[in-house]
Short mmCIF file of all heavy atoms in Angstrom, two decimals:
data_model
loop_
_atom_site.label_atom_id
_atom_site.label_comp_id
_atom_site.label_asym_id
_atom_site.label_seq_id
_atom_site.Cartn_x
_atom_site.Cartn_y
_atom_site.Cartn_z
N ASP A 366 -18.03 12.93 5.00
CA ASP A 366 -19.18 12.44 4.22
C ASP A 366 -20.21 11.74 5.10
O ASP A 366 -21.33 11.49 4.64
CB ASP A 366 -18.70 11.48 3.12
CG ASP A 366 -17.91 12.20 2.04
OD1 ASP A 366 -18.12 13.41 1.87
OD2 ASP A 366 -17.11 11.54 1.37
N LEU A 367 -19.86 11.40 6.33
CA LEU A 367 -20.81 10.77 7.24
C LEU A 367 -21.70 11.82 7.86
O LEU A 367 -21.22 12.87 8.31
CB LEU A 367 -20.07 9.98 8.32
CG LEU A 367 -19.16 8.84 7.84
CD1 LEU A 367 -18.45 8.20 9.03
CD2 LEU A 367 -19.95 7.81 7.07
N PRO A 368 -23.00 11.62 7.92
CA PRO A 368 -23.92 12.63 8.46
C PRO A 368 -23.70 12.87 9.96
O PRO A 368 -23.55 11.91 10.73
CB PRO A 368 -25.30 12.04 8.17
CG PRO A 368 -25.09 10.56 8.03
CD PRO A 368 -23.72 10.42 7.44
N LYS A 369 -23.71 14.13 10.35
CA LYS A 369 -23.56 14.47 11.76
C LYS A 369 -24.77 14.08 12.58
O LYS A 369 -24.70 13.97 13.82
CB LYS A 369 -23.33 15.99 11.90
CG LYS A 369 -22.03 16.47 11.30
CD LYS A 369 -21.86 17.97 11.53
CE LYS A 369 -20.54 18.48 10.93
NZ LYS A 369 -20.36 19.93 11.15
N GLU A 370 -25.90 13.84 11.91
CA GLU A 370 -27.12 13.45 12.63
C GLU A 370 -26.96 12.15 13.39
O GLU A 370 -27.66 11.91 14.39
CB GLU A 370 -28.29 13.34 11.64
CG GLU A 370 -28.79 14.66 11.09
CD GLU A 370 -27.88 15.24 10.03
OE1 GLU A 370 -26.97 14.51 9.57
OE2 GLU A 370 -28.07 16.41 9.66
N LEU A 371 -26.03 11.30 12.95
CA LEU A 371 -25.79 10.04 13.65
C LEU A 371 -25.27 10.31 15.06
O LEU A 371 -25.73 9.70 16.03
CB LEU A 371 -24.79 9.18 12.86
CG LEU A 371 -25.26 8.68 11.49
CD1 LEU A 371 -24.10 7.99 10.78
CD2 LEU A 371 -26.44 7.74 11.64
N GLU A 372 -24.31 11.21 15.18
CA GLU A 372 -23.78 11.56 16.49
C GLU A 372 -24.81 12.31 17.33
O GLU A 372 -24.88 12.14 18.55
CB GLU A 372 -22.51 12.40 16.32
CG GLU A 372 -21.40 11.66 15.60
CD GLU A 372 -20.29 12.57 15.13
OE1 GLU A 372 -19.39 12.85 15.94
OE2 GLU A 372 -20.34 13.00 13.96
N GLU A 373 -25.61 13.14 16.68
CA GLU A 373 -26.64 13.87 17.41
C GLU A 373 -27.69 12.91 17.97
O GLU A 373 -28.20 13.12 19.08
CB GLU A 373 -27.30 14.89 16.48
CG GLU A 373 -26.34 16.00 16.04
CD GLU A 373 -26.96 16.92 15.00
OE1 GLU A 373 -28.10 16.62 14.57
OE2 GLU A 373 -26.30 17.90 14.59
N ALA A 374 -27.99 11.85 17.20
CA ALA A 374 -28.96 10.87 17.70
C ALA A 374 -28.42 10.15 18.92
O ALA A 374 -29.18 9.88 19.88
CB ALA A 374 -29.28 9.88 16.58
N VAL A 375 -27.14 9.83 18.92
CA VAL A 375 -26.53 9.17 20.07
C VAL A 375 -26.53 10.12 21.27
O VAL A 375 -26.80 9.71 22.42
CB VAL A 375 -25.09 8.71 19.75
CG1 VAL A 375 -24.42 8.14 20.98
CG2 VAL A 375 -25.11 7.67 18.63
N ALA A 376 -26.26 11.41 21.03
CA ALA A 376 -26.27 12.39 22.13
C ALA A 376 -27.67 12.54 22.71
O ALA A 376 -27.82 12.69 23.94
CB ALA A 376 -25.77 13.74 21.60
N ILE A 377 -28.70 12.47 21.89
CA ILE A 377 -30.07 12.57 22.38
C ILE A 377 -30.39 11.39 23.29
O ILE A 377 -31.11 11.51 24.30
CB ILE A 377 -31.06 12.64 21.20
CG1 ILE A 377 -30.88 13.97 20.46
CG2 ILE A 377 -32.50 12.47 21.68
CD1 ILE A 377 -31.71 14.07 19.21
N ASP A 378 -29.84 10.22 22.97
CA ASP A 378 -30.08 9.02 23.79
C ASP A 378 -29.18 8.99 25.01
O ASP A 378 -29.18 7.99 25.76
CB ASP A 378 -29.83 7.76 22.96
CG ASP A 378 -30.89 7.58 21.87
OD1 ASP A 378 -31.99 8.14 22.05
OD2 ASP A 378 -30.59 6.91 20.86
N GLY A 379 -28.39 10.03 25.24
CA GLY A 379 -27.54 10.09 26.44
C GLY A 379 -26.12 9.62 26.23
O GLY A 379 -25.37 9.53 27.21
N GLY A 380 -25.76 9.31 25.01
CA GLY A 380 -24.41 8.85 24.76
C GLY A 380 -23.44 9.99 24.58
O GLY A 380 -23.81 11.12 24.28
N THR A 381 -22.18 9.71 24.76
CA THR A 381 -21.12 10.70 24.60
C THR A 381 -20.60 10.67 23.17
O THR A 381 -20.95 9.78 22.37
CB THR A 381 -19.97 10.45 25.57
OG1 THR A 381 -19.40 9.14 25.28
CG2 THR A 381 -20.46 10.46 27.01
N ARG A 382 -19.74 11.64 22.85
CA ARG A 382 -19.13 11.66 21.52
C ARG A 382 -18.27 10.41 21.32
O ARG A 382 -18.21 9.87 20.21
CB ARG A 382 -18.30 12.92 21.35
CG ARG A 382 -17.77 13.14 19.95
CD ARG A 382 -16.99 14.42 19.87
NE ARG A 382 -17.84 15.59 19.99
CZ ARG A 382 -18.47 16.16 18.96
NH1 ARG A 382 -18.34 15.65 17.75
NH2 ARG A 382 -19.20 17.24 19.15
N TRP A 383 -17.59 9.96 22.37
CA TRP A 383 -16.79 8.75 22.28
C TRP A 383 -17.66 7.53 22.01
O TRP A 383 -17.29 6.65 21.24
CB TRP A 383 -15.99 8.57 23.56
CG TRP A 383 -15.35 7.22 23.71
CD1 TRP A 383 -15.64 6.28 24.65
CD2 TRP A 383 -14.34 6.65 22.88
NE1 TRP A 383 -14.86 5.17 24.48
CE2 TRP A 383 -14.05 5.37 23.38
CE3 TRP A 383 -13.63 7.11 21.77
CZ2 TRP A 383 -13.10 4.54 22.82
CZ3 TRP A 383 -12.69 6.27 21.18
CH2 TRP A 383 -12.42 5.01 21.71
N THR A 384 -18.84 7.48 22.63
CA THR A 384 -19.76 6.37 22.38
C THR A 384 -20.22 6.37 20.94
O THR A 384 -20.26 5.30 20.29
CB THR A 384 -20.99 6.48 23.31
OG1 THR A 384 -20.56 6.50 24.67
CG2 THR A 384 -21.93 5.30 23.09
N ALA A 385 -20.55 7.55 20.41
CA ALA A 385 -20.97 7.64 19.00
C ALA A 385 -19.84 7.22 18.07
O ALA A 385 -20.06 6.50 17.09
CB ALA A 385 -21.42 9.06 18.71
N PHE A 386 -18.62 7.63 18.41
CA PHE A 386 -17.48 7.29 17.55
C PHE A 386 -17.22 5.79 17.59
O PHE A 386 -17.00 5.17 16.55
CB PHE A 386 -16.25 8.06 18.02
CG PHE A 386 -15.01 7.71 17.25
CD1 PHE A 386 -14.74 8.31 16.04
CD2 PHE A 386 -14.10 6.76 17.74
CE1 PHE A 386 -13.60 7.99 15.32
CE2 PHE A 386 -12.96 6.43 17.03
CZ PHE A 386 -12.71 7.06 15.81
N ARG A 387 -17.26 5.22 18.78
CA ARG A 387 -16.89 3.80 18.94
C ARG A 387 -17.94 2.86 18.38
O ARG A 387 -17.60 1.86 17.74
CB ARG A 387 -16.66 3.51 20.43
CG ARG A 387 -16.16 2.10 20.73
CD ARG A 387 -15.52 2.08 22.10
NE ARG A 387 -16.39 2.66 23.12
CZ ARG A 387 -17.18 1.95 23.93
NH1 ARG A 387 -17.20 0.64 23.84
NH2 ARG A 387 -17.92 2.55 24.83
N HIS A 388 -19.22 3.15 18.56
CA HIS A 388 -20.27 2.21 18.17
C HIS A 388 -20.90 2.51 16.82
O HIS A 388 -21.51 1.61 16.23
CB HIS A 388 -21.39 2.21 19.24
CG HIS A 388 -20.95 1.63 20.55
ND1 HIS A 388 -20.70 0.29 20.74
CD2 HIS A 388 -20.68 2.22 21.76
CE1 HIS A 388 -20.33 0.07 21.99
NE2 HIS A 388 -20.32 1.22 22.63
N VAL A 389 -20.77 3.75 16.33
CA VAL A 389 -21.44 4.09 15.08
C VAL A 389 -20.44 4.48 14.00
O VAL A 389 -20.34 3.82 12.96
CB VAL A 389 -22.45 5.26 15.30
CG1 VAL A 389 -23.12 5.61 13.98
CG2 VAL A 389 -23.48 4.87 16.34
N LEU A 390 -19.67 5.52 14.25
CA LEU A 390 -18.79 6.06 13.21
C LEU A 390 -17.68 5.09 12.83
O LEU A 390 -17.31 4.98 11.66
CB LEU A 390 -18.20 7.39 13.65
CG LEU A 390 -19.15 8.58 13.76
CD1 LEU A 390 -18.40 9.84 14.12
CD2 LEU A 390 -19.92 8.77 12.47
#
Side-chain angles (χ1 to χ4, degrees):
D366 291 336
L367 299 178
K369 294 182 180 180
E370 288 77 11
L371 295 173
E372 298 166 85
E373 295 173 356
V375 175
I377 292 174
D378 292 337
T381 62
R382 188 179 290 273
W383 167 246
T384 303
F386 177 83
R387 184 160 51 97
H388 292 289
V389 180
L390 291 184

